[in-house]
């Protein structure tokens, strides 16, 4: 079976995906299934200096001169070939299907199940039987907090920001604050980015972050904000950005299209969310079918998830009339939570 941890921009072999313990954590999988995890292309792709510089310039513009960000985003798109029909950072339907097909052929395997976290639901639509070959024989799929295939950039950003807005304060008057051990001062840009990044924290860490951010602009609060902002933008060093961000932009651009509204400031979480679509302003969205068909499917969503709001998932999947579609609701906030995955696995494996 394929296990897609989502992303894009997450390195499967980074040590944070619990590959070694996955089968032990979910004994429902038994010992008779091979688990196939696919590493994203950006992990081994060489990062040209021109592309790296364009990444830095885009990030710096967002921090200090947002009016320049659309132009810098266009430069990022060109220098890093984000609009290429042969993507080198993330997957597309053809490259994903070819990779799966090659592995199945070489190892003499067949795929009967698919577990997709978040963006994994998009990767499920990537699988093309005519490219993968006869070894693709899906009988079931479990999608945990699935990305709602079919929405565009504006719909996603508007829905995400509506969930986040209620917990955001206007602290823009505080200006830039130096933080011990951080190469860049913490600004309102970081505060807004941190608010978005909190959607990935587990419930205990989220509660801790609330307590920390209430102390703003104390040093403890500023350190938390800086750490969360850097995680969101994949920043390292001073103004360097991981090429994983290129995979994120390349795949989301192709699936959601670009940002078509005017952009000139960073004054709200919505502005920060919209910023990642600036490099793909000329792209049109690509949609795939989310209907389970004859595949026994179980979905997990949460009303507390701010990364993939539940109402969008219900819009994408809720109207899919099928006796093969089951639904589980998690009460946990974190987008990376695997709550209810056990229950979904038990349900689909029993049916198949």
């Amino acid at each position: 079976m394929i296990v897609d941890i989502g992303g894009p921009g997450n390195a499967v072999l980074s040590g944070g995906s619990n590959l070694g313990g996955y089968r032990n954590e979910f004994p429902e999988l038994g010992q008779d299934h091979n688990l196939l995890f696919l590493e994203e292309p950006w992990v081994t792709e060489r990062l040209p200096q021109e592309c790296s510089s364009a990444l830095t310039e885009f990030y710096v513009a967002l921090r200090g001169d947002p009016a320049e960000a659309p132009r810098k985003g266009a430069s990022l798109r060109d220098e890093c070939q984000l609009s290429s029909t042969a993507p080198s950072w993330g997957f597309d339907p053809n490259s994903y299907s070819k990779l799966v097909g090659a592995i199945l052929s070489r190892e003499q395997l067949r795929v009967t199940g698919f577990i997709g976290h978040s963006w994994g639901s998009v990767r499920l639509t990537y699988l093309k039987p005519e490219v993968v070959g006869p070894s693709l024989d899906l009988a079931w799929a479990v999608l945990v907090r699935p990305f709602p295939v079919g929405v565009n950039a504006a719909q996603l950003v508007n829905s995400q920001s509506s969930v986040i807005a209620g917990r955001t304060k206007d602290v823009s008057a505080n200006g830039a604050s130096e933080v011990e051990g951080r190469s860049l001062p913490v600004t309102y840009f970081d505060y807004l980015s941190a608010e978005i990044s909190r959607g990935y924290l587990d419930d205990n860490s989220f509660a801790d972050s609330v307590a920390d951010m209430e102390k703003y602009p104390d040093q403890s609060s500023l350190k938390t904000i800086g750490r969360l902002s850097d995680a969101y933008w994949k920043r390292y060093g001073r103004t360097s950005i991981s090429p994983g961000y290129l995979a994120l932009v390349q795949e989301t651009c192709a699936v959601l299209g670009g940002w078509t509204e005017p952009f000139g400031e960073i004054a709200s979480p919505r502005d920060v969310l919209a910023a990642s679509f600036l490099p793909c302003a000329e792209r049109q969205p690509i949609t795939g079918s989310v209907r389970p068909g004859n595949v026994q499917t179980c979905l997990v969503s949460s009303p507390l998830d701010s990364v993939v709001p539940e109402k969008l998932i219900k819009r994408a999947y809720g109207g899919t009339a099928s006796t093969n579609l089951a639904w589980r609701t998690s009460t946990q906030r974190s987008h990376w939570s695997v709550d209810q995955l056990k229950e979904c696995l038990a349900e689909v494996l029993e049916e198949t």
Side-chain angles (χ1 to χ4, degrees):
M1 72 184 66
I2 296 172
V3 182
D4 195 304
I5 65 171
N10 293 331
V12 169
L13 299 177
S14 66
S17 302
N18 190 31
L19 302 194
Y22 203 90
R23 192 185 300 275
N24 292 333
E25 187 173 357
F26 302 105
E28 295 79 10
L29 296 173
Q31 298 299 319
D32 56 346
H33 289 97
N34 291 295
L35 305 183
L36 175 59
F37 296 83
L38 303 177
E39 188 67 280
E40 294 180 354
W42 67 270
V43 174
T44 56
E45 186 72 14
R46 185 184 70 85
L47 181 65
Q49 183 57 51
E50 297 83 358
C51 176
S52 178
S53 297
L55 258 175
T56 292
E57 290 176 10
F58 178 61
Y59 176 72
V60 170
L62 289 173
R63 292 189 63 88
D65 189 7
E68 276 289 290
R71 187 174 69 85
K72 295 297 185 181
S75 176
L76 176 62
R77 179 179 66 239
D78 295 341
E79 294 293 349
C80 300
Q81 301 183 30
L82 296 179
S83 297
S84 171
T85 56
S88 54
W89 309 109
F91 288 116
D92 68 356
N94 196 49
S95 61
Y96 195 74
S97 294
K98 279 186 174 180
L99 179 58
V100 171
I103 294 171
L104 298 184
S105 176
R106 176 175 176 174
E107 302 297 332
Q108 295 296 295
L109 300 171
R110 72 187 179 100
V111 170
T112 58
F114 186 97
I115 301 174
H117 298 254
S118 186
W119 192 257
S121 63
V122 179
R123 303 263 175 75
L124 178 58
T125 72
Y126 285 178
L127 289 173
K128 301 161 66 174
E130 66 273 20
V131 177
V132 178
S135 295
L136 181 63
D137 187 22
L138 281 180
W140 59 266
V142 174
L143 303 177
V144 181
R145 302 173 185 246
F147 184 87
V149 178
V151 304
N152 61 34
Q155 290 170 330
L156 177 66
V157 167
N158 288 338
S159 186
Q160 290 175 321
S161 58
S162 68
V163 177
I164 298 168
R167 64 180 191 233
T168 305
K169 296 180 179 180
D170 185 358
V171 295
S172 55
N174 288 85
S177 302
E178 297 294 332
V179 183
E180 183 182 352
R182 188 171 193 262
S183 57
L184 291 176
V186 166
T187 66
Y188 192 43
F189 169 85
D190 293 304
Y191 177 87
L192 295 173
S193 299
E195 283 288 6
I196 300 169
S197 188
R198 289 206 293 163
Y200 297 95
L201 300 178
D202 61 42
D203 287 356
N204 289 334
S205 297
F206 185 90
D208 290 342
S209 73
V210 171
D212 274 343
M213 293 177 75
E214 284 293 328
K215 301 172 186 175
Y216 185 88
D218 287 0
Q219 277 290 306
S220 62
S221 174
L222 294 172
K223 287 181 178 180
T224 296
I225 291 169
R227 174 174 53 81
L228 290 173
S229 175
D230 292 344
Y232 180 74
W233 288 103
K234 302 182 184 297
R235 181 185 81 95
Y236 66 96
R238 181 172 175 81
T239 53
S240 296
I241 304 298
S242 165
Y245 183 74
L246 298 174
L248 172 68
V249 172
Q250 193 162 56
E251 283 201 53
T252 55
C253 282
V255 174
L256 284 88
W259 191 252
T260 58
E261 299 178 22
F263 186 97
E265 64 176 355
I266 298 285
S268 69
R270 186 177 186 271
D271 296 329
V272 176
L273 290 163
S276 287
F277 293 100
L278 294 177
C280 50
E282 298 178 2
R283 296 297 297 268
Q284 295 298 314
I286 297 174
T287 59
S289 173
V290 297
R291 290 186 172 273
N294 295 323
V295 177
Q296 190 69 34
T297 304
C298 185
L299 306 180
V300 180
S301 65
S302 170
L304 301 176
D305 195 322
S306 60
V307 179
V308 179
E310 189 176 52
K311 72 176 184 179
L312 290 184
I313 300 175
K314 288 186 174 180
R315 183 186 304 172
Y317 296 91
T320 308
S322 171
T323 56
N324 294 332
L325 179 62
W327 201 293
R328 293 273 178 174
T329 300
S330 171
T331 58
Q332 294 189 16
R333 183 185 303 272
S334 173
H335 184 60
W336 291 134
S337 170
V338 293
D339 180 45
Q340 299 299 310
L341 175 53
K342 284 177 177 285
E343 290 78 1
C344 263
L345 284 171
E347 188 155 351
V348 296
L349 290 173
E350 180 181 0
E351 293 294 330
T352 56

